[in-house]
Amino acid sequence: MPDATGYAAVKALLPLITPYSITDDTAGAKYYALAVEQQQNDAPRLTETQAQTAQCYWIAHLMASHDGKTGITSEHLGQWSASFSTTAAGTDIYYAQYRQF
């Protein structure tokens, strides 16, 4: 469930780990509410810090998808590597980081 303390933490962390930020307006609150709901559905047992980090990556994923930013087209898990493309719809790096949680 979204709360003011969690919102403040995510709002502060988001620009530190992504190029995006949210503000204290309707859009910012909606992004946060969507991120909380998605994280609770996907990984309800995360610690508070893990949950807030995952929520930041989900918000960045939504914003990157909207902006048409770079996406991952190929990845390897052993000795991590990735190939990037600006045309990879729905495969942005923030979604990949979110999925790690």
Side-chain angles (χ1 to χ4, degrees), residues 4-101:
T5 304
Y7 179 73
V10 167
K11 183 179 153 194
L13 181 60
L14 185 63
L16 297 176
I17 62 175
T18 74
Y20 300 101
S21 62
I22 55 176
T23 56
D24 291 330
D25 61 5
T26 302
K30 285 184 180 182
Y31 274 122
Y32 176 67
L34 286 169
V36 169
E37 182 178 349
Q38 189 68 43
Q39 177 267 310
Q40 286 294 313
N41 287 337
D42 292 339
R45 299 184 199 275
L46 295 178
T47 66
E48 183 178 1
T49 301
Q50 291 172 326
Q52 290 169 351
T53 305
Q55 291 161 12
C56 285
Y57 286 132
W58 185 257
I59 291 168
H61 161 66
L62 295 175
M63 292 178 150
S65 296
H66 178 71
D67 291 345
K69 297 290 184 189
T70 303
I72 295 175
T73 58
S74 173
E75 65 180 278
H76 304 280
L77 297 176
Q79 299 296 328
W80 171 256
S81 69
S83 300
F84 299 94
S85 167
T86 58
T87 60
T91 58
D92 63 80
I93 193 167
Y94 304 112
Y95 181 73
Q97 291 171 313
Y98 170 80
R99 294 301 301 162
Q100 289 181 13
F101 286 94

